[in-house]
Amino acid sequence: MMNFRATAATAALLCFTAFGASPASADGEVNVYTYREAKLIQPLFDAFTKDTGIKVNVVSASSGLEQRMKTEGANSPADVLLTVDIGRLDDAVKAGVTQPIKSVVIDEIVPAQYRDPDGHWAGISMRARVIYASKDRVKQDKITYEELADPKWKGKICIRSGQHIYNNGLFAAYTAKYGEAKAEEWLKGVKANLAQKPSGGDREAARDVAAGKCDIGIGNTYYWALMMNNDPEKKPWAEATKVILPTFEGGGTHVNLSGVLLAKNAPNKANGVKLIEWLVGDKAQQIYADSNYEYPVRSGVAVNPTIAGYGKLTADPLPIAKIAANRKAASTLVDKVGFDN
Ligand SMILES: [Fe+2]
């Protein structure tokens, strides 16, 4: 979700050394590969070590971890892969580098819609794909995803590439709900409403709304909070916009996951499962969701106040596995309608 500075190759080199040099602790260790920024998740792993005595070795990279695990094969030191978006979770499963988690704790705490039916991935927090609307120019406080194709928004929508995993997830959800023909029609309508060629990232959608280039931008929930609270330079982009949680007609808001997978050749499998189970505990959920501005997957854990300020999230009930199953169709439709052209 963040900007990662280290390249996969750099991280690989650094961390290979770290693994080789680390003495195992009495309670053993667990090796985590992650796309999340190392310094952001370190407090979480420190808490795990404090609770369990298990040492956590982290490999942090911006891309290529599944491929790396595949290349490492049976010798891969990876136990757990921590990543974001069903696109990446699904890619890891398709790469054949995972095994079912098989945990009663996970099955009890993580709602079924946020787990792989085959057990290969489980969500640990959620992010929603929402609207950053101009405070000045958008009067309404409610909107549906369907409405994004309404000609009333002609020339008023800013969005990043339709092939980006975040949009792919949303478009796949639409496809899962309505089928390909209707999804195509909708995508054509959304495309016709774009103020400009899809570009930039989610923050830039808010930037362009702030600059008056469009009235609504599409972005994930945590970026707005990051701009507002952690990024003085971009704070004006958040200040110019209000977050609206869109819903599907008769449904809820599209959410995607930050999730976890158990490596196929995990050398410390039991510790890997322990870590995964610990991640959905009360304390970890609080730290993890709060530090990333995400929604905790465990019920009863408080949502960060900035995120809570968007309004009450009613997540769409569509199982995330159905979104995974429609990823390819959504991607094909994006090309077919020339969404990014
Ligand atoms: Fe992100």
Side-chain angles (χ1 to χ4, degrees):
M1 65 174 265
M2 311 288 174
N3 291 320
F4 296 88
R5 274 162 223 98
T7 64
T10 312
L13 279 172
L14 287 172
C15 296
F16 183 78
T17 315
F19 274 17
S22 318
S25 80
D27 300 297
E29 50 192 348
V30 63
N31 301 325
V32 179
Y33 281 19
T34 181
Y35 290 118
R36 311 225 72 159
E37 211 171 343
K39 75 170 196 296
L40 266 174
I41 48 172
Q42 199 52 52
L44 187 74
F45 294 145
D46 289 346
F48 173 72
T49 303
K50 207 175 160 211
D51 279 0
T52 62
I54 298 167
K55 184 175 182 293
V56 183
N57 305 306
V58 183
V59 170
S60 192
S62 58
S63 64
L65 288 172
E66 303 88 358
Q67 193 48 51
R68 177 172 167 182
M69 287 164 75
K70 205 171 175 176
T71 307
E72 289 167 341
N75 297 318
S76 176
D79 294 305
V80 170
L81 176 63
L82 193 63
T83 187
V84 296
D85 200 279
I86 184 56
R88 293 207 181 105
L89 293 166
D90 188 45
D91 280 347
V93 176
K94 291 210 170 88
V97 297
T98 62
Q99 63 174 310
I101 296 167
K102 287 186 189 151
S103 158
V104 177
V105 174
I106 291 297
D107 291 353
E108 274 178 5
I109 291 169
V110 181
Q113 77 184 95
Y114 302 132
R115 279 188 273 121
D116 175 21
D118 297 325
H120 285 259
W121 48 262
I124 50 177
S125 63
M126 292 97 74
R127 61 272 303 283
R129 195 127 185 89
V130 298
I131 304 296
Y132 308 151
S134 164
K135 267 186 191 165
D136 295 338
R137 300 182 301 278
V138 176
K139 298 299 163 216
Q140 65 194 71
D141 288 313
K142 280 177 147 185
I143 194 166
T144 63
Y145 294 107
E146 289 83 350
E147 191 191 319
L148 295 175
D150 188 312
K152 79 184 235 195
W153 296 111
K154 193 163 180 61
K156 298 196 185 309
I157 299 177
C158 284
I159 191 169
R160 75 195 308 167
S161 165
Q163 294 295 5
H164 187 272
I165 49 172
Y166 300 163
N167 283 333
N168 180 243
L170 172 59
F171 300 168
Y174 199 100
T175 309
K177 281 174 170 286
Y178 291 107
E180 289 183 31
K182 282 196 170 155
E184 181 179 343
E185 198 184 315
W186 178 71
L187 279 174
K188 271 185 194 158
V190 177
K191 180 187 159 51
N193 288 341
L194 298 184
Q196 58 192 13
K197 185 176 143 73
S199 63
D202 288 0
R203 294 176 179 92
E204 286 66 36
R207 176 195 68 191
D208 293 345
V209 172
K213 291 182 182 169
C214 32
D215 285 357
I216 59 179
I218 294 166
N220 283 353
T221 32
Y222 54 86
Y223 285 116
W224 195 93
L226 285 168
M227 291 188 289
M228 184 57 93
N229 299 338
N230 303 45
D231 193 343
E233 240 173 67
K234 298 187 177 76
K235 189 172 180 177
W237 304 352
E239 285 173 333
T241 59
K242 58 182 177 184
V243 173
I244 306 176
L245 302 179
T247 56
F248 284 105
E249 279 168 19
T253 300
H254 167 68
V255 299
N256 207 315
L257 302 173
S258 163
V260 71
L261 306 113
L262 182 62
K264 183 179 177 184
N265 298 304
N268 309 289
K269 183 177 165 182
N271 285 348
V273 173
K274 234 182 233 177
L275 174 62
I276 290 171
E277 292 177 343
W278 184 87
L279 284 171
V280 298
D282 265 317
K283 180 166 62 181
Q285 283 283 293
Q286 193 69 69
I287 300 172
Y288 192 80
D290 207 32
S291 61
N292 295 304
Y293 291 117
E294 293 189 299
Y295 295 92
V297 77
R298 184 188 181 104
S299 65
V301 178
V303 178
N304 176 276
T306 302
I307 301 297
Y310 302 160
K312 190 181 167 355
L313 174 77
T314 303
D316 194 69
L318 183 74
I320 305 297
K322 291 256 166 66
I323 295 176
N326 284 275
R327 285 178 65 212
K328 192 161 189 300
S331 170
T332 303
L333 289 176
V334 161
D335 282 344
K336 194 173 173 192
V337 306
F339 194 85
D340 283 352
N341 300 345

